[in-house]
Structures are given as C-alpha cells and as structure tokens.
Amino acid sequence: MSAAHYPAVSVIMPVLNEERHLRNSVRHILEQEYAGEMEVVIALGPSADRTDEIAAELVAEDSRVHTVPNPTGRTPAALNAAIKASRHPVVVRVDGHGMLSPDYIATAVRLLEETGAQNVGGIMHAEGENAWEDAVAAAMTSKIGVGNAAFHTGGQAGPAETVYLGVFRREALETAGGYNVEFIRAQDWELNFRIREAGGLIWFSPELKVQYRPRPSVKALAKQYKDYGRWRHVVARYHSGSINLRYLAPPTAVVAIAAGLVAGAAVTPWALLVPGGYLAAIVAGSLPAGKGLSLKARAQIPVALATMHMSWGFGFLTSPRSLAKRVIASRRPSLASSGTV
C-alpha cells in the first residue's frame, strides 16, 4: 500500500483520572509510524486530578489533538462522543493508560484490508512499573489467571469473539449504532457481539500489541474484576447463549471455596481440601508466570490471582437481575433480524 492510499485515522480516547499516563499514551499515538492523516479525540470525564489540564496542554501543542466533554464519566458514553466528534474512515480505540507499539496503526490498517474484518485487535500486553504491578501483569498474561483469552495470553491470528480495544471500520460502528451506553463495563464484548451478529468479522492478531498499566493496588484490582464479573453476567442475560465455561470458572470457584470453608469449620476438616487445593494451584501456577521477575513480584502473584478470580466470581454471582432488566429494556432490534447490514 502506497503512502497516498493510507486511509485517514481517528484515534478515540475515553479518559478519566489519567494524569499519570495520559501524556505518554498520546505521545505513543502521535509518534506512530503511519503515513496517513491522523487525529486524536479525547473524551474528558469529570476527573479529580490534572487530566483536563494535561489534555489542554496536548491540544495546544499539537493541532491533531482535540477534546470533547463526557459529563457522565462513563466509558461507552465517552467513546460515542469521541466517535461523533471524529471524522475519518478508520477508528482506533485507545485508553488513557494504553501505550501503542510504534507500528500498531499501520499494522491494523493492513489487517483490515487483508482480512475484510470490521474490527481488528491484538494483545493487551500488561506491563508494571513496580513489583505489585509486575505481579498483576504476570497474572493477567497467564492462562491460570485469565484462561484461554487470546488477547491476554497470545495465540494464532484468526476470527475472535472479541479483541482488546479495537481498530474499526467507521461504517461498522455506525451500522451497529455505536457502543451501548448502558454497559458501564463489558461494552467492547457487547459491541463485538452485535457486529458478529450482523455478519461482521472480528479478527485477532498477535502482531498488534498495546502496553497496558495494571491497577496500582489490591483494592483497585478487586474493584476492576468485580465490575468485570458483574457486567459479564449482564451480557450473558442480555445476549442469550453468549456464556461459556471459561466465564463460569470464577463463580464456581467462589462457591466451592466458600462451601469448603464453611463445611470445614462446621462439619469436617476434610472440606478444607477445596480451598487448600485452590491455594496450592495458584501458588504452583504463579511459578511459571513469574519467570524473570523479582522475588518481591513473584511472591505477590498468588495474591493477584486470587484477587482477580474471587472478585470476578463474586461480581458475577452478585450481579443484580434488576441491572440486566434495565439494560434489556434499552435493547435495540437485532441488526441481523432488522435486515440492516
């Protein structure tokens, strides 16, 4: 593809309280090895830190950067606002703590052309900046941590249910009606489900990597994964048949461990083999996951794994039906059944 034929690209960023990483994230976008025209649209939520000030500096420094308001602070609303304010035929989603590899956009545009996909994406390459974040990154990129999710652990290029972030054809986003604003979390999975429902192809490629900064504390990681589990259950109720065994593993583990602890205390110590077995499994699984890390980081991997598993499972189990009912009440007609393609 000659430089003259590179399509123009809009990079959209939902941002809230990202003073720590925003400038570096935008730098990784503006320094992309891409010959086509590019713009960056930052949707600003009501941050409590210096995010807005940093965004204003970025706008002043580079005419390719623009901002739009997102008064709700919610990610899907931010994404829709940025899409509406953008103007180019290829739309690249980037988070305020994501760092694109230098050829990310060029590779994604090539893959869109080669595969005919409506959305392409790659690996959420978690990297820490201290021992705890290194431990979380190791947990997030291991199969014992996240199962067989290719966008976490890698794998062969091919069709996928969903991908990390995503590089879209604009017409795919417009046909789908954008992100469903009711999905505070899991909005990527839900959008990709609708694109696939309409006959579109979602394509995963390990060529695409985005550096991701993990949550900086146990509390923040627990909240993140509780929300993931809570909203994944909403997706399962909203789109019947979208659940699989991988998503049922964490809630099953929570129930089994809780039952083992109760039975172990009230009935027989043998029941403690269940939580003991889980603890042994995550300790054993953390050994290969922590290869090459500091001793301090390796010692924290089991904590990260348990936090992710238990929080995701708890969120899934406690996800209220009322939340799903509210989301279902907002359901638009299926793209496939409406005949819109």
Side-chain angles (χ1 to χ4, degrees):
M1 190 188 305
S2 68
H5 292 91
Y6 276 89
V9 167
S10 296
V11 181
I12 59 172
M13 301 182 71
V15 168
L16 180 70
N17 295 325
E18 289 287 2
E19 69 173 357
R20 181 180 173 192
H21 299 299
L22 180 58
R23 175 170 288 279
N24 199 24
S25 181
V26 172
R27 178 179 65 80
H28 278 76
I29 297 167
L30 298 177
E31 294 179 357
Q32 283 289 295
E33 297 168 359
Y34 186 67
E37 184 181 351
M38 182 168 54
E39 65 175 352
V40 181
V41 181
I42 304 172
L44 293 171
S47 295
D49 60 11
R50 295 183 59 253
T51 295
D52 286 10
E53 181 181 337
I54 293 168
E57 292 171 356
L58 292 167
V59 170
E61 293 164 7
D62 196 303
S63 62
R64 293 173 292 177
V65 181
H66 315 281
T67 61
V68 292
N70 173 36
T72 70
R74 295 180 172 182
T75 300
L79 290 165
N80 285 344
I83 292 167
K84 184 177 180 180
S86 67
R87 54 196 173 90
H88 294 322
V90 175
V91 179
V92 181
R93 176 181 171 176
V94 181
D95 285 343
H97 46 270
M99 313 295 164
L100 300 185
S101 53
D103 62 346
Y104 180 88
I105 291 177
T107 301
V109 169
R110 172 177 59 79
L111 289 170
L112 283 175
E113 181 177 356
E114 290 177 355
T115 65
Q118 302 302 303
N119 179 21
V120 300
I123 296 174
M124 180 182 181
H125 186 62
E127 289 187 357
E129 296 182 328
N130 53 49
W132 165 250
E133 291 180 2
D134 284 342
V136 176
M140 292 180 70
T141 54
S142 67
K143 289 190 175 182
I144 191 173
V146 294
N148 61 354
F151 69 86
H152 280 296
T153 62
Q156 295 295 316
E161 287 186 346
T162 192
V163 290
Y164 180 53
L165 301 180
V167 177
F168 300 83
R169 299 179 188 272
R170 176 176 292 276
E171 61 263 29
L173 291 171
E174 292 175 346
T175 298
Y179 290 85
N180 188 325
V181 295
E182 296 294 338
F183 280 87
I184 309 307
R185 296 286 183 272
Q187 65 273 157
D188 295 302
W189 202 103
E190 195 278 333
L191 172 62
N192 285 319
F193 183 94
R194 284 187 282 120
I195 291 175
R196 289 187 290 109
E197 188 181 38
L201 174 65
I202 310 299
W203 188 265
F204 166 81
S205 173
E207 292 183 76
L208 298 171
K209 285 188 178 181
V210 180
Q211 290 181 14
Y212 169 86
R213 299 300 186 223
R215 294 298 193 270
S217 67
V218 173
K219 181 179 179 180
L221 182 67
K223 183 181 184 306
Q224 178 187 20
Y225 272 78
K226 179 176 72 81
D227 287 346
Y228 282 169
R230 175 183 173 120
W231 283 93
R232 189 61 189 81
H233 203 166
V234 173
V235 173
R237 287 167 170 158
Y238 185 84
H239 292 300
S240 178
S242 67
I243 201 69
N244 60 42
L245 291 177
R246 176 164 66 89
Y247 297 117
L248 295 177
T252 301
V254 170
V255 171
I257 290 169
L261 290 171
V262 171
V267 182
T268 172
W270 287 104
L272 295 175
L273 287 174
V274 176
Y278 170 76
L279 179 60
I282 61 172
V283 169
S286 71
L287 297 178
K291 186 177 180 181
L293 297 182
S294 68
L295 181 60
K296 185 176 180 181
R298 292 201 302 269
Q300 296 182 83
I301 294 175
V303 178
L305 288 169
T307 301
M308 290 161 56
H309 294 160
M310 297 299 102
S311 299
W312 203 104
F314 179 78
F316 189 94
L317 291 168
T318 60
S319 182
R321 286 189 174 274
S322 59
L323 180 59
K325 287 179 179 178
R326 189 184 80 222
V327 172
I328 290 169
S330 74
R331 189 198 301 268
R332 288 171 292 224
S334 161
L335 296 177
S337 65
S338 68
T340 302
V341 294

